[in-house]
Amino acid sequence: MKSNEPIEICDWSAEWAEKFRVMAAVIRTALGARAKRIDHIGSTAINGLAAKPIIDIQVSVVDFDPLDSLVEPLKAIGYVWRSSNPELAKRYFRESPGQERTHIHVRRLGSWHEQWPLLFRDYMRIHVEEHEPYVDLKRRLAARFQNDRVAYTTGKEDHLWQIIRRADRWAAATGWMSRVSDA
């Protein structure tokens, strides 16, 4: 998707973790027990990793239905449901216009799609040798596809699959399990 907003890769910031904590507390209050887990995911959740300055939050739920019990509380705290999101394994919310850029990914607890970003995050937190090649790729793609988020994301796919294969071997060798929820 072409965008008027250029893709920007920023050096890691300790502020990202604090921003997550504040947002997650508000989401936890809004969703209550409906949210089984709330986790900081994506590159901003990995200490030292350069990233787009967008906080990605994963909310794990038992089921998406009733959908209103997700949409209404999140809407009340300023998030907009993106019903046109083509990925059926999640429900996707974004910030309201004028708010700080945030992506909320609601996924089913225990599903492969919920575990993938947790495994990626945990693996990358420990394997700092993976950071430089990934950041170099992100910076090259951001320069090449400055206003084309789809091309930028597609350009990262092969590299991400290589990382997740290594992460899967690491998980099997260490007995990795996603730890307690971040919030």
Side-chain angles (χ1 to χ4, degrees):
M1 170 180 13
K2 299 284 184 187
S3 170
N4 291 331
E5 188 178 326
I7 297 168
E8 176 187 18
I9 305 298
C10 299
D11 289 339
W12 182 81
S13 171
E15 292 178 8
W16 293 338
E18 182 57 27
K19 287 179 180 185
F20 164 77
R21 277 191 283 283
V22 170
M23 293 174 188
V26 173
I27 293 167
R28 168 65 65 207
T29 299
L31 292 178
R34 184 92 158 87
K36 301 304 179 194
R37 294 180 62 105
I38 299 176
D39 293 284
H40 190 184
I41 61 168
S43 293
T44 62
I46 301 164
N47 191 341
L49 190 66
K52 295 188 308 289
I54 300 167
I55 305 300
D56 282 285
I57 299 171
Q58 178 168 273
V59 177
S60 302
V61 298
V62 172
D63 198 353
F64 296 138
D65 294 321
L67 188 57
D68 281 350
S69 69
L70 293 171
V71 173
E72 293 307 317
L74 290 173
K75 180 179 176 184
I77 59 171
Y79 296 103
V80 178
W81 177 41
R82 297 294 180 107
S83 60
S84 61
N85 176 55
E87 189 181 328
L88 299 180
K90 74 176 178 183
R91 300 302 178 261
Y92 181 57
F93 296 80
R94 288 273 308 269
E95 75 286 346
S96 294
Q99 286 187 329
E100 185 164 2
R101 192 74 186 271
T102 309
H103 298 169
I104 299 178
H105 312 264
V106 179
R107 295 187 171 109
R108 287 188 179 98
L109 183 68
S111 70
W112 185 84
H113 290 277
E114 181 227 19
Q115 292 295 298
W116 195 104
L118 298 174
L119 173 59
F120 177 82
R121 178 200 66 194
D122 291 354
Y123 175 80
M124 291 293 282
R125 283 177 172 172
I126 293 170
H127 294 86
V128 296
E129 71 278 5
E130 297 274 12
H131 291 193
E132 188 177 336
Y134 184 42
V135 169
D136 288 346
L137 174 63
K138 292 195 301 183
R139 290 189 194 277
R140 284 194 319 270
L141 291 169
R144 182 174 175 196
F145 302 113
Q146 188 173 35
N147 295 95
D148 188 343
R149 291 185 181 280
V150 171
Y152 168 82
T153 300
T154 300
K156 295 188 308 179
E157 285 177 356
D158 287 342
H159 190 85
L160 290 172
W161 279 109
Q162 290 171 20
I163 291 172
I164 209 65
R165 280 193 289 278
R166 290 188 292 274
D168 183 56
R169 288 190 296 273
W170 168 77
T174 63
W176 173 87
M177 291 179 57
S178 55
R179 59 183 175 76
V180 177
S181 172
D182 290 340

